[in-house]
Amino acid sequence: MRITGTFIDEISHDIPHQNWGRAEWDADFAHMKAVGIDTVIMIRSGYRRFITYPSLYLQQQLGCYAPPVDLVSLFLELADKYDMQFYFGLYDSGRYWDTGDMQAEIDVNRYVIDEVWKKYGHHKSFKGWYLSMEISRKTKGAIHAFKTLGLQCKEVSNGLPTFISPWIDGKKAVMAASATLSKEDVVSIQEHEKEWSEIFAGVQGAVDAVAFQDGHIDYHELPEFFAVNKKMADQFGMQCWTNAESFDRDMPIKFLPIKFEKLRLKLEAARAAGYDKAITFEFSHFMSPQSAYLQAGHLYNRYREYLQTL
Amino acid sequence: MRITGTFIDEISHDIPHQNWGRAEWDADFAHMKAVGIDTVIMIRSGYRRFITYPSLYLQQQLGCYAPPVDLVSLFLELADKYDMQFYFGLYDSGRYWDTGDMQAEIDVNRYVIDEVWKKYGHHKSFKGWYLSMEISRKTKGAIHAFKTLGLQCKEVSNGLPTFISPWIDGKKAVMAASATLSKEDVVSIQEHEKEWSEIFAGVQGAVDAVAFQDGHIDYHELPEFFAVNKKMADQFGMQCWTNAESFDRDMPIKFLPIKFEKLRLKLEAARAAGYDKAITFEFSHFMSPQSAYLQAGHLYNRYREYLQTL
Amino acid sequence: MRITGTFIDEISHDIPHQNWGRAEWDADFAHMKAVGIDTVIMIRSGYRRFITYPSLYLQQQLGCYAPPVDLVSLFLELADKYDMQFYFGLYDSGRYWDTGDMQAEIDVNRYVIDEVWKKYGHHKSFKGWYLSMEISRKTKGAIHAFKTLGLQCKEVSNGLPTFISPWIDGKKAVMAASATLSKEDVVSIQEHEKEWSEIFAGVQGAVDAVAFQDGHIDYHELPEFFAVNKKMADQFGMQCWTNAESFDRDMPIKFLPIKFEKLRLKLEAARAAGYDKAITFEFSHFMSPQSAYLQAGHLYNRYREYLQTL
């Protein structure tokens, strides 16, 4: 299964920054294009005080820092140039994580959506929205937020598609900053189906695709979970994508590029389940020939060899 | 003291994969050869569901994944080409770690040993076996396993040599995935000698060499422990090798290449103790000029300068 | 604000070694010079048993290892060559950390200061001393040590300047080897001013500059803390430098190069507070074009672009 989309990890939570300028980003879009990537998703437009574009609103209302570069503009120009689709990831104020207050996230993003569409909506590559709140089954309060924000995104943009990328509450669902790699208390396939069916029902109409992160369960559990995900997506009229993580969750260094064999197992499982599209988190650190992690360049080569066998 | 052997870390427990293909492995064997390495040891032929060669038995009986490449074949061909000795590391099902059941490890490896010798034993470079279970003094149940498997290895292969690479239960004997770098409860030199004498007595005849890992004790403790190790090896008729770890156990990032000064201290201690051979864990990540960790290339240069002083 | 000084992290506590030889260090001094760095500070002349120069005293009295290279000599020669100022960092025996015994640190360094000045004081680039004990507000027993050692440094060297680089007890003041990135129990600006005023009063006359590490508080707290630091430095007649950390404290990998935007925020805050000088910890791993961390080379380029806007 070919990866046709990638997140762009600006602003990053937990992956150290590469400090690229325009020249490096331009080269990276070319590397993406060369392996068939047609979709780039800016993972979030801001996180707490760091933001990707000079929003007066966010600077004045939330004390955000003036960004040194307008990354939204940069990425849209490159997506225009390389004839790719750009998805805009919403802003994350951090308040939900601190206080459980999802309404604050909704309020600020209602403003952000309008501002961004006004400022950047004319780009031919602006093709969709990423509802950036990462949730799992225990975040059901998110249904209202996804519904509200997804509908607003579509409304302002003449119905451009939206998607979400939640995680499965499997054994590797541990915090990046924790010392452990796995946990004991994991979701069963039955609980997974029951709880996500509720969530899907709640966001229907506001979310066009769901791209579960594929790295929190063990490799031999992939077929079973992927089959259920596809069944639920079909039932609620969504596209079923896979978010194929290209970093390795099994190693003490959090995180370096994944072993190709593992990525292949995950892509093959998505193909077997009839998934609609594969995206990855993310190309520029973990699969790019110019990544600071040189393992990524070798992964790029192994992946190209794999493409020739498809 | 010159390093003349290296592990090849496939399948890896805790070192992120470099995603090399045949071309990179070929170049790495040349880099090894250039500094006098004549022995490569595949650290294990499989770990849990990931395996290095297409064993129908392991796939069918233990649910292992079909490997994308036959690494055993690849490494043997390269060892043939570069006139090096290849040691085959046994399979680790993970059951011992999970349940304490060593018999399961014995059973599966009895099959693996036969299969592998039949499949690959004709290679001129197939020169020995590595009993891959890493043990310390508290793993005495391992004596029976080492004895049984070591004898079988020798029997099927007309007496090819076997070796083990245990660790000393020193202050740095902490889990790779833990947040700490050291612990308080460490073995004394007297306990070490008493307990390992028992283990050596138990495996005599089935194990030809012991290569203690050199990274779990402090540098100033090396002479005392190395002297005892050599004395015990002599007493029980084994060769005494050192497994000179070329990664740094003293740093928060687990793990990057070691500072050359530390490696030199350890090699000098092994020379002073009259050790028979030095191997390392491992060349390709931590000492190779083409490693993804660029510090490794500098370590390679420092090590070459050191060789000129010997 | 331009960075005009950098630490050289030999001997390192927690940053993996790059294994550079003379050629790489020479090239690095040239890279430093090219961006306006005129001051190099050897962070410590030894830590526990590892030392940077062949001190018979430290080898015989404290069991230190004979160093493979005389780094003090190497760095002084390069500083001479590139017309830079070299600051010598005192020895850290580790006893204070283990037992709270600061007198031991004083005693050994009284010898080291004399020895080093006799051996290396003739270099034209030997321009100052770094009192290398890193302290925070809870280390008040350090006042006597700083006073004693600072005065001795100045006395033997005809009044060459001395400086210290303490940390602010903010939310990111956690151990490098811990799994966490932040803590709850942090110092208030009032406590900070009260406690550091006491310390500054105690070391007055023996310490010429204070370079607080800038990475332990949040970015939006910088202006307030920096203003207080400058006020205290003025009050007690010290220069106020910033130690602009060029590694990222917000990421699970401890540590890789910082995101340029963060470094810029910190430098701008130091400029706004009227600081006298900016140094960094440290150039060679985190900002150098030849660093093993390739993100550092990109940071170098972003920083050069920034210099052109000043």
Side-chain angles (χ1 to χ4, degrees):
Chain A
M1 183 154 199
R2 184 184 283 271
I3 295 168
T4 58
T6 182
F7 283 99
I8 297 178
D9 192 32
E10 302 274 346
I11 305 299
S12 171
H13 270 228
D14 47 20
I15 311 294
H17 208 265
Q18 302 208 76
N19 288 309
W20 287 354
R22 176 177 286 266
E24 289 85 14
W25 279 114
D26 194 319
D28 223 49
F29 273 59
H31 290 308
M32 294 174 192
K33 187 83 179 176
V35 286
I37 289 178
D38 58 29
T39 308
V40 292
I41 306 119
M42 194 179 67
I43 196 161
R44 56 188 74 82
S45 46
Y47 177 58
R48 300 188 187 264
R49 291 174 190 260
F50 289 96
I51 55 180
T52 54
Y53 72 101
S55 163
L56 277 184
Y57 173 77
L58 291 174
Q59 290 176 69
Q60 287 168 355
Q61 298 303 309
L62 284 92
C64 292
Y65 308 123
V69 177
D70 183 339
L71 289 169
V72 176
S73 188
L74 171 62
F75 294 141
L76 278 162
E77 286 165 29
L78 292 174
D80 287 349
K81 173 176 173 183
Y82 287 97
D83 198 20
M84 291 161 82
Q85 308 179 65
F86 175 87
Y87 278 67
F88 178 90
L90 298 189
Y91 172 74
D92 180 350
S93 77
R95 294 195 188 178
Y96 173 71
W97 303 109
D98 294 342
T99 66
D101 178 9
M102 190 62 91
Q103 190 58 44
E105 302 296 343
I106 296 176
D107 292 344
V108 64
N109 273 300
R110 291 185 69 83
Y111 194 97
V112 165
I113 292 165
D114 283 344
E115 181 180 58
V116 160
W117 184 251
K118 217 169 287 164
K119 216 168 145 95
Y120 304 104
H122 62 279
H123 279 275
K124 72 167 181 175
S125 61
F126 199 130
K127 289 293 189 192
W129 305 87
Y130 169 55
L131 309 178
S132 65
M133 281 90 64
E134 290 181 33
I135 66 162
S136 185
R137 60 189 177 122
K138 288 168 183 151
T139 331
K140 289 185 202 160
I143 295 177
H144 174 62
F146 280 136
K147 184 97 186 185
T148 308
L149 295 172
L151 288 177
Q152 187 187 343
C153 286
K154 300 175 82 67
E155 194 180 289
V156 303
S157 64
N158 309 311
L160 285 185
T162 62
F163 83 97
I164 61 175
S165 188
W167 76 82
I168 299 169
D169 196 20
K171 69 180 226 186
K172 301 182 198 174
V174 294
M175 299 296 289
S178 85
T180 55
L181 295 173
S182 63
K183 65 177 186 180
E184 296 294 326
D185 175 31
V186 302
V187 72
S188 72
I189 188 76
Q190 291 77 14
E191 292 168 311
H192 176 77
E193 180 167 6
K194 180 173 172 301
E195 297 180 338
W196 279 100
S197 291
E198 279 180 52
I199 297 173
F200 281 17
V203 301
Q204 211 175 357
V207 173
D208 297 292
V210 59
F212 275 106
Q213 301 168 29
D214 73 355
H216 297 84
I217 53 176
D218 210 337
Y219 305 94
H220 65 273
E221 299 174 306
L222 291 164
E224 196 177 14
F225 276 90
F226 279 17
V228 163
N229 291 344
K230 180 69 169 86
K231 190 176 93 180
M232 291 191 292
D234 286 349
Q235 184 184 344
F236 294 97
M238 296 180 194
Q239 285 208 6
C240 191
W241 300 1
T242 187
N243 177 357
E245 295 178 344
S246 39
F247 62 95
D248 204 315
R249 286 191 181 270
D250 305 328
M251 297 290 148
I253 298 182
K254 294 179 177 176
F255 301 100
L256 292 183
I258 199 168
K259 183 182 186 177
F260 170 65
E261 181 178 2
K262 296 177 178 176
L263 180 60
R264 198 191 61 152
L265 279 172
K266 299 192 295 183
L267 291 174
E268 289 297 311
R271 175 164 68 169
Y275 272 35
D276 299 295
K277 185 179 175 80
I279 61 175
T280 186
F281 179 91
E282 38 82 286
F283 182 86
S284 302
H285 283 91
F286 303 119
M287 294 188 73
S288 168
Q290 68 174 0
S291 168
Y293 305 135
L294 299 181
Q295 303 94 335
H298 295 295
L299 179 57
Y300 187 77
N301 292 335
R302 297 295 84 72
Y303 176 69
R304 287 174 68 125
E305 291 163 6
Y306 167 71
L307 289 184
Q308 286 162 13
T309 69
L310 295 187
Chain B
M1 182 153 200
R2 185 185 282 271
I3 296 168
T4 58
T6 182
F7 283 98
I8 298 178
D9 192 31
E10 302 274 343
I11 306 296
S12 171
H13 270 228
D14 47 19
I15 312 294
H17 208 265
Q18 302 207 76
N19 288 309
W20 287 354
R22 176 178 286 265
E24 289 83 14
W25 279 114
D26 194 319
D28 223 48
F29 273 58
H31 290 309
M32 294 173 191
K33 188 83 180 177
V35 286
I37 288 178
D38 58 29
T39 308
V40 292
I41 307 119
M42 195 179 69
I43 196 160
R44 56 188 73 83
S45 45
Y47 177 57
R48 299 185 189 264
R49 291 175 191 259
F50 288 96
I51 54 180
T52 54
Y53 72 101
S55 163
L56 279 183
Y57 173 78
L58 292 173
Q59 291 176 66
Q60 287 169 356
Q61 299 302 309
L62 284 91
C64 292
Y65 309 123
V69 176
D70 183 339
L71 289 169
V72 176
S73 187
L74 171 63
F75 295 142
L76 278 163
E77 285 166 29
L78 292 174
D80 288 349
K81 173 176 174 183
Y82 287 99
D83 198 21
M84 291 160 82
Q85 307 179 65
F86 175 87
Y87 278 67
F88 178 90
L90 299 190
Y91 172 74
D92 180 349
S93 77
R95 294 195 188 177
Y96 173 72
W97 303 109
D98 293 343
T99 66
D101 177 9
M102 189 63 89
Q103 190 58 43
E105 302 295 344
I106 296 176
D107 293 344
V108 65
N109 273 298
R110 291 185 68 82
Y111 193 96
V112 165
I113 293 165
D114 282 343
E115 182 179 57
V116 159
W117 184 252
K118 219 169 286 163
K119 216 169 147 92
Y120 304 104
H122 62 281
H123 279 275
K124 71 167 182 174
S125 61
F126 199 130
K127 288 293 191 191
W129 305 86
Y130 169 55
L131 308 177
S132 65
M133 282 89 66
E134 291 182 32
I135 66 163
S136 185
R137 60 189 176 121
K138 287 167 185 153
T139 331
K140 288 184 202 161
I143 295 177
H144 174 63
F146 280 136
K147 184 98 186 186
T148 308
L149 295 173
L151 288 177
Q152 187 187 344
C153 286
K154 299 174 82 67
E155 194 181 288
V156 304
S157 64
N158 309 310
L160 285 184
T162 62
F163 83 99
I164 61 174
S165 187
W167 76 83
I168 298 169
D169 196 20
K171 69 180 223 185
K172 302 183 198 173
V174 294
M175 299 294 290
S178 86
T180 55
L181 296 173
S182 62
K183 64 178 187 179
E184 296 293 326
D185 175 31
V186 302
V187 72
S188 71
I189 186 75
Q190 291 78 16
E191 291 167 310
H192 177 75
E193 180 166 4
K194 179 173 171 303
E195 298 180 338
W196 279 101
S197 292
E198 278 180 53
I199 298 172
F200 282 17
V203 302
Q204 210 176 357
V207 173
D208 297 292
V210 59
F212 275 105
Q213 301 169 27
D214 74 354
H216 297 83
I217 53 176
D218 211 338
Y219 304 95
H220 65 273
E221 299 174 305
L222 291 165
E224 197 177 16
F225 276 89
F226 280 16
V228 164
N229 290 344
K230 181 69 168 85
K231 189 177 93 181
M232 290 190 291
D234 286 348
Q235 184 184 344
F236 294 98
M238 296 180 194
Q239 285 207 7
C240 191
W241 300 1
T242 187
N243 177 356
E245 295 178 344
S246 39
F247 62 95
D248 204 314
R249 286 192 180 270
D250 305 329
M251 297 289 148
I253 298 182
K254 294 179 177 174
F255 300 99
L256 292 184
I258 199 168
K259 183 182 187 179
F260 170 66
E261 182 179 2
K262 296 177 178 176
L263 181 60
R264 198 191 60 150
L265 279 173
K266 300 191 295 182
L267 291 174
E268 289 297 311
R271 174 163 68 169
Y275 272 35
D276 299 296
K277 185 179 176 80
I279 60 175
T280 185
F281 179 90
E282 39 84 282
F283 182 86
S284 302
H285 284 91
F286 303 120
M287 294 189 73
S288 169
Q290 67 176 0
S291 168
Y293 305 135
L294 299 182
Q295 304 93 337
H298 295 295
L299 179 57
Y300 187 78
N301 293 334
R302 297 294 84 72
Y303 176 70
R304 287 174 69 125
E305 292 162 6
Y306 166 72
L307 288 184
Q308 287 161 12
T309 70
L310 296 186
Chain C
M1 181 155 199
R2 184 185 283 271
I3 295 168
T4 58
T6 181
F7 283 98
I8 298 179
D9 192 33
E10 302 274 346
I11 306 299
S12 171
H13 270 228
D14 48 19
I15 311 295
H17 208 265
Q18 303 207 72
N19 288 309
W20 287 354
R22 176 177 286 265
E24 289 83 14
W25 279 114
D26 195 318
D28 224 48
F29 274 59
H31 290 310
M32 294 174 191
K33 187 84 180 176
V35 286
I37 288 178
D38 58 29
T39 308
V40 292
I41 306 118
M42 194 179 69
I43 197 162
R44 57 188 73 83
S45 45
Y47 177 58
R48 300 188 189 262
R49 291 174 190 259
F50 288 96
I51 54 180
T52 54
Y53 72 101
S55 164
L56 279 183
Y57 173 78
L58 292 174
Q59 290 177 67
Q60 287 168 356
Q61 299 302 309
L62 284 91
C64 292
Y65 309 122
V69 178
D70 183 339
L71 289 169
V72 176
S73 188
L74 171 62
F75 295 142
L76 278 164
E77 286 165 29
L78 292 173
D80 288 349
K81 173 177 174 184
Y82 287 99
D83 199 21
M84 291 161 81
Q85 307 179 65
F86 175 87
Y87 278 67
F88 179 89
L90 299 189
Y91 172 74
D92 180 349
S93 77
R95 294 195 188 177
Y96 173 72
W97 303 110
D98 294 341
T99 65
D101 178 8
M102 189 63 90
Q103 190 58 44
E105 302 295 344
I106 296 176
D107 293 343
V108 64
N109 273 299
R110 292 185 69 84
Y111 193 97
V112 165
I113 292 165
D114 282 344
E115 182 180 57
V116 160
W117 184 252
K118 218 168 286 164
K119 216 168 144 95
Y120 304 104
H122 63 281
H123 279 275
K124 71 167 182 176
S125 61
F126 199 130
K127 289 293 190 189
W129 304 87
Y130 169 55
L131 308 178
S132 66
M133 282 88 65
E134 290 180 34
I135 66 162
S136 184
R137 61 190 177 121
K138 287 166 184 152
T139 331
K140 288 185 200 159
I143 295 177
H144 173 62
F146 280 136
K147 183 96 186 189
T148 307
L149 295 173
L151 288 177
Q152 186 187 344
C153 286
K154 300 175 81 68
E155 194 181 287
V156 303
S157 64
N158 309 310
L160 285 185
T162 62
F163 84 98
I164 61 174
S165 188
W167 76 83
I168 299 169
D169 196 20
K171 70 181 222 184
K172 302 183 197 174
V174 294
M175 298 296 289
S178 85
T180 56
L181 295 173
S182 62
K183 64 177 187 180
E184 296 294 327
D185 174 32
V186 302
V187 72
S188 72
I189 186 76
Q190 292 78 14
E191 291 167 311
H192 176 76
E193 180 167 6
K194 179 173 171 303
E195 298 181 338
W196 279 101
S197 292
E198 278 180 53
I199 297 172
F200 282 17
V203 301
Q204 210 175 357
V207 174
D208 298 292
V210 59
F212 274 105
Q213 300 168 28
D214 74 355
H216 296 83
I217 54 177
D218 211 338
Y219 304 95
H220 66 272
E221 299 174 303
L222 291 164
E224 196 177 15
F225 276 90
F226 278 17
V228 164
N229 291 344
K230 181 69 168 85
K231 189 175 94 179
M232 290 191 291
D234 286 349
Q235 185 185 344
F236 294 98
M238 295 179 195
Q239 285 207 7
C240 192
W241 300 359
T242 188
N243 176 357
E245 295 178 346
S246 39
F247 61 95
D248 204 315
R249 286 192 181 271
D250 306 328
M251 296 290 147
I253 298 182
K254 295 180 177 173
F255 300 99
L256 292 183
I258 199 168
K259 183 182 188 179
F260 171 65
E261 181 179 2
K262 296 177 178 176
L263 180 61
R264 198 191 62 152
L265 280 173
K266 300 192 295 181
L267 292 174
E268 289 297 312
R271 175 164 69 169
Y275 272 35
D276 298 297
K277 185 179 176 80
I279 61 176
T280 185
F281 179 89
E282 37 83 285
F283 182 86
S284 302
H285 283 90
F286 303 119
M287 295 188 73
S288 168
Q290 67 174 2
S291 168
Y293 305 135
L294 299 182
Q295 303 92 337
H298 295 295
L299 179 57
Y300 187 78
N301 293 334
R302 298 294 84 72
Y303 176 69
R304 287 174 68 126
E305 292 163 6
Y306 166 71
L307 288 184
Q308 287 162 11
T309 69
L310 296 186

